Amino acid sequence: MDSVELRRRRALRTLVTGAALAAAAAAGAVAVLIWQADPEPRVGTAAPASVSAADAPPSASPSTVVAAVPLPAPARVEKGIPIGYPHTLAGAVSAAAHYTEARDLLSPDAVPGQMMVMARHNDEEFFKLTSLAIADARDWRRLLGLPEAGGSTGSDFIAFQVRAYQTESVSADAVDVWLLTTQTPTVGGIQHGTGVFAVAAQVVWDGDDWRLTSKKMRETPVVAQPGTVQADAAGWRPVAYQH
């Protein structure tokens, strides 16, 4: 690989790190950046966002011993969004996880349509959720060096996966959930690293389904690499999707 390409990849790594941290700050999340290998030999590593047990080498992070929590499958898909969850705690967590994964982080124009399906139609809360999600998508595009206008493509996208959860507060009709997620940007067909984030999701029962709402969460939980004893100790419960 020539020196120009090496410099380009180093610059993009820095850019992706900045995007991840900016998105985390905007969402009130905490991130630990854990870089994975590229298709080409690794050209450098990013400094972690914070000192954490998640930064320990794999030999110091045995696999989790906590059994995965089965999350009920959605009943159907509407406009690309999985919907239809049981009126239970597991249903609330499943809705929060599926909605979080369904977000298109590089398509600002797609946000209003997605929120019409996922969010409660309370004017103030709906406007706030939609505005924040649009700003988040625009920030990702800008920080990844993509044109302001546009959407995800087969070569430019962010893979988003929920790996575990913990609840902050629970009632029959409202659940505040923290989700331990991984986000992996691909730009120009090249995967550039994975960030581990704690993402807040608040859902309320809206008569026939769980839907997102806007509420300030209290204290962000400790972020740890998914599937490790550190994540177990921090209170994260692994999830398993039912199909």
Side-chain angles (χ1 to χ4, degrees):
M1 188 182 300
D2 60 36
S3 60
V4 173
E5 177 64 9
L6 285 173
R7 288 196 299 272
R8 187 190 73 81
R9 289 199 176 203
R10 289 192 182 103
L12 186 53
R13 281 183 178 275
T14 301
L15 202 60
V16 170
T17 305
L21 295 178
V30 173
V32 175
L33 278 294
I34 304 168
W35 294 113
Q36 297 176 337
D38 287 333
E40 294 289 335
R42 183 179 295 192
V43 298
T45 57
S50 61
V51 177
S52 165
D55 304 316
S59 60
S61 300
S63 297
T64 180
V65 295
V66 175
V69 176
L71 298 182
R76 61 195 182 280
V77 175
E78 181 177 322
K79 298 181 180 179
I81 306 297
I83 63 173
Y85 302 92
H87 191 187
T88 63
L89 174 58
V93 175
S94 185
H98 279 92
Y99 292 160
T100 297
E101 288 189 351
R103 284 186 57 195
D104 188 339
L105 296 178
L106 293 182
S107 300
D109 291 344
V111 169
Q114 289 190 320
M115 287 299 172
M116 284 295 293
V117 179
M118 297 189 294
R120 184 168 66 168
H121 293 176
N122 172 294
D123 288 344
E124 182 178 351
E125 294 176 357
F126 180 83
F127 177 78
K128 182 178 180 181
L129 283 169
T130 301
S131 298
L132 288 173
I134 290 173
D136 193 16
R138 287 175 175 167
D139 284 345
W140 272 110
R141 293 191 64 82
R142 176 176 56 82
L143 291 167
L144 292 175
L146 296 170
E148 181 176 343
S152 297
T153 67
S155 57
D156 299 324
F157 60 92
I158 299 176
F160 206 136
Q161 184 179 13
V162 174
R163 301 290 302 279
Y165 82 95
Q166 55 183 280
T167 56
E168 181 173 287
S169 67
V170 176
S171 70
D173 294 327
V175 180
D176 296 345
V177 188
W178 283 103
L179 302 169
L180 187 65
T181 71
T182 58
Q183 299 179 34
T184 307
T186 293
V187 180
I190 301 173
Q191 181 178 312
H192 290 281
T194 295
V196 180
F197 297 84
V199 176
Q202 305 88 40
V203 293
V204 294
W205 185 253
D206 199 26
D208 61 351
D209 206 355
W210 293 101
R211 291 188 173 85
L212 293 173
T213 188
S214 176
K215 175 185 174 184
K216 184 175 179 59
M217 303 281 271
R218 293 194 296 271
E219 185 175 351
T220 306
V222 173
V223 174
Q225 186 172 350
T228 64
V229 293
Q230 286 85 0
D232 295 347
W236 295 106
R237 303 190 67 187
V239 298
Y241 291 111
Q242 295 181 325
H243 301 286

